[in-house]
Amino acid sequence: MTPVPTSTPVAPTRSERLDELPFTSKHRRLLAGSGIGWALDALDVGLLSFVIAQLMTVWSDQAGQLAWVASAGFAGMAIGAALGGSLADRMGRKTVFALTLLLYGLATGLSALSWSVAVLLVLRFVVGLGLGSELPVASTLVSEFSPRRIRGRVVVLLEAFWAVGSIAAALVGYLVIPTSDDGWRWALLIGAAPALYAVFVRLRMPESVRFLESRGRHDEAERTVRAFEEAAGVAAPTAPTATRGEARVVDEPARASVGRLFGAGMTRRTVAIWVVWFMTNFSYYGAFVWLPSLLVAAGFPLVRSFEYVLVITLAQLPGYAASAWLIERWGRRGTLATFLLGSAVAASFFGFGAVSGSVAQILVAGMALSFFNLGAWGALYAVTPELYPTALRGTGAGWAAGVGRIASIAAPLSVPPLIALGGPPTLFVVFGAVFVVGAVAATLLPELRGTRLAE
């Protein structure tokens, strides 16, 4: 009787092993480490709106140029996002994450010493380079380590740290900036904290296993996976790990380029995600960068307007919580489109409340805008890294963010002419229409809930 041949069992790939792990203390530390950096980014961006509101008074002779300060930062973010994403595919996620935190932290501290709009403008451009690079890199790193079944939720929770930073910015704006004409300088010095935090990030965070394997660093990748498995109480595999890269000689990997984002099967998703990023950036930064100044222009005292912005900002937290829960229930596409449509309705109501001076409508509509808009941001950051394979993931996320930053450059500059054209109602109706376009584009994205990240 001929014995039945038995096949040697083959263990899953390292990426598959990570995908099936439960959420452990190692994941929490990675999320917290990336999230604190994310919150510090939000602190820096949020502070700018309060700084501009005070400088409109302190530097009244240069007030007409202040819109360019915000746009200079966003120009830096556009370039930084594209470069940072590409560098992350070549140098590693962790390395670029730490370097960009250091760059923008130092530049933020130096901007506190500015003596003119021109100097502040240059330094804000440098700040933007670092900030724009960091955000898509951090979301890519967290996405690549997260368990498959809750990956979207974990990335939304990462984005929720933005609310923590925004609330901190509102508190600094409310408590520090109004204390003196130099309050804006002290606020920017507080925003320099990321320079110190970058050292911790570089030393303690793991490098992406998928990136390590793409570079042939398989021993290091195995040690990283085992550390996560040990945290989950999972034994080492008994069969050899199946790794695509180990079956061949690892030469210089194919260079990631923007052209490859439009390769076979990726053109539609790339165009759709770029449109969503562009529209979301335009309305978010157009509204929130100018929010304190718009309230002051509506007749509210500076301190009172800062107080209202703080209350509105608090609504970001439940927005992220709802998005994190729904993204694994409804899926990425439905959650993103729904929150963008909610943002459109809230923006229209806020515009009419701002011009009427109704405090209740300003707060309710503003909180709704904050809730839906930041919930949309969470879903957007969750879906973007999932659209591309490992070799293009940083590049894809970075270029999507970079295209979005083009809108954030134009948005602050568009506010004064739109206000002159029809006041806050016209301005926020335009923002609402832009949100609707983004929602339509979101419906064209593939639904990737529960799927493995492409290798």
Side-chain angles (χ1 to χ4, degrees), residues 39-57 59 65-77 104 107-108 111-112 114 116-117 119-128 131 162 165-166 168-174 177 183-192 284-294 302 306 309 405 408-409 411-413:
L40 291 170
D41 292 351
L43 172 65
D44 182 271
V45 172
L47 282 176
L48 184 60
S49 63
F50 297 99
V51 168
I52 288 176
Q54 186 178 51
L55 290 181
M56 293 286 284
T57 301
W59 289 352
Q65 305 171 45
L66 286 172
W68 289 96
V69 172
S71 291
F74 296 134
M77 290 173 75
Y104 96 80
T108 297
S111 65
S114 301
S116 68
V117 170
V119 174
L120 185 60
L121 187 149
V122 171
L123 288 170
R124 290 306 303 179
F125 177 80
V126 178
V127 169
L131 179 59
W162 187 272
S166 296
L171 286 170
V172 172
Y174 180 60
I177 291 181
W184 66 274
R185 297 185 188 274
W186 291 108
L188 290 176
L189 285 174
I190 292 172
Y284 173 79
Y285 286 106
F288 284 93
V289 166
W290 280 96
L291 190 54
S293 300
L294 291 172
L302 184 68
F306 285 4
V309 173
R405 300 309 177 191
S408 65
I409 297 168
L413 298 176

Side-chain angles (χ1 to χ4, degrees), residues 94-366:
K94 182 178 75 169
T95 300
V96 175
F97 186 20
L99 291 176
T100 54
L101 278 168
L102 183 62
L103 173 65
Y104 96 80
L106 293 174
T108 297
L110 289 174
S111 65
L113 306 176
S114 301
W115 57 89
S116 68
V117 170
V119 174
L120 185 60
L121 187 149
V122 171
L123 288 170
R124 290 306 303 179
F125 177 80
V126 178
V127 169
L129 286 175
L131 179 59
S133 299
E134 188 273 330
L135 295 177
V137 173
S139 61
T140 298
L141 180 65
V142 171
S143 182
E144 290 182 332
F145 272 105
S146 298
R148 173 172 57 91
R149 67 187 180 282
I150 59 168
R151 184 174 62 238
R153 185 168 296 162
V154 174
V155 178
V156 175
L157 290 176
L158 168 66
E159 235 288 284
F161 279 86
W162 187 272
V164 176
S166 296
I167 293 168
L171 286 170
V172 172
Y174 180 60
L175 299 174
V176 176
I177 291 181
T179 58
S180 72
D181 286 350
D182 286 329
W184 66 274
R185 297 185 188 274
W186 291 108
L188 290 176
L189 285 174
I190 292 172
L196 299 176
Y197 180 67
V199 178
F200 169 81
V201 171
R202 185 64 179 92
L203 295 176
R204 299 294 298 273
M205 292 182 66
E207 181 56 89
S208 164
V209 169
R210 289 172 169 85
F211 171 80
L212 293 173
E213 288 194 322
S214 73
R215 290 303 188 267
R217 294 157 61 179
H218 300 291
D219 290 342
E220 188 177 347
E222 180 63 24
R223 288 194 298 271
T224 301
V225 174
R226 283 300 304 141
F228 276 79
E229 289 177 331
E230 288 167 1
V234 175
T238 57
T241 295
T243 304
R244 295 176 181 88
E246 288 177 329
R248 57 178 169 77
V249 177
V250 178
D251 299 316
E252 181 66 22
R255 188 173 293 272
S257 67
V258 65
R260 294 180 63 197
L261 302 179
F262 295 90
M266 287 194 287
T267 299
R268 174 172 167 168
R269 64 182 62 186
T270 294
V271 172
I273 200 67
W274 283 15
V275 171
V276 178
W277 271 91
F278 188 94
M279 300 304 168
T280 306
N281 271 270
F282 186 89
S283 291
Y284 173 79
Y285 286 106
F288 284 93
V289 166
W290 280 96
L291 190 54
S293 300
L294 291 172
L295 293 176
V296 170
F300 296 101
L302 184 68
V303 174
R304 182 56 58 83
S305 70
F306 285 4
E307 180 182 325
Y308 292 163
V309 173
L310 174 58
V311 173
I312 289 170
T313 302
L314 289 172
Q316 293 182 11
L317 288 172
Y320 282 122
S323 181
W325 185 75
L326 290 172
I327 201 163
E328 301 296 356
R329 295 277 182 164
W330 290 357
R332 281 71 163 132
R333 186 169 53 197
T335 302
L336 179 56
T338 299
F339 275 81
L340 286 171
L341 288 175
S343 301
V345 174
S348 299
F349 276 109
F350 182 85
F352 289 98
V355 74
S356 69
S358 168
V359 173
Q361 188 171 344
I362 286 173
L363 291 179
V364 172

Side-chain angles (χ1 to χ4, degrees), residues 436-451:
V436 171
V437 175
V440 172
T443 64
L444 302 177
L445 294 170
E447 179 52 63
L448 298 174
R449 178 182 56 171
T451 61

Side-chain angles (χ1 to χ4, degrees), residues 6-54:
T6 58
S7 59
T8 303
V10 178
T13 65
R14 295 187 182 102
S15 297
E16 291 168 345
R17 287 158 60 189
L18 284 175
D19 278 346
E20 301 307 319
L21 289 177
F23 192 78
T24 69
S25 59
K26 293 283 289 184
H27 293 103
R28 282 194 294 274
R29 283 195 290 272
L30 175 66
L31 178 62
S34 302
I36 292 171
W38 204 285
L40 291 170
D41 292 351
L43 172 65
D44 182 271
V45 172
L47 282 176
L48 184 60
S49 63
F50 297 99
V51 168
I52 288 176
Q54 186 178 51

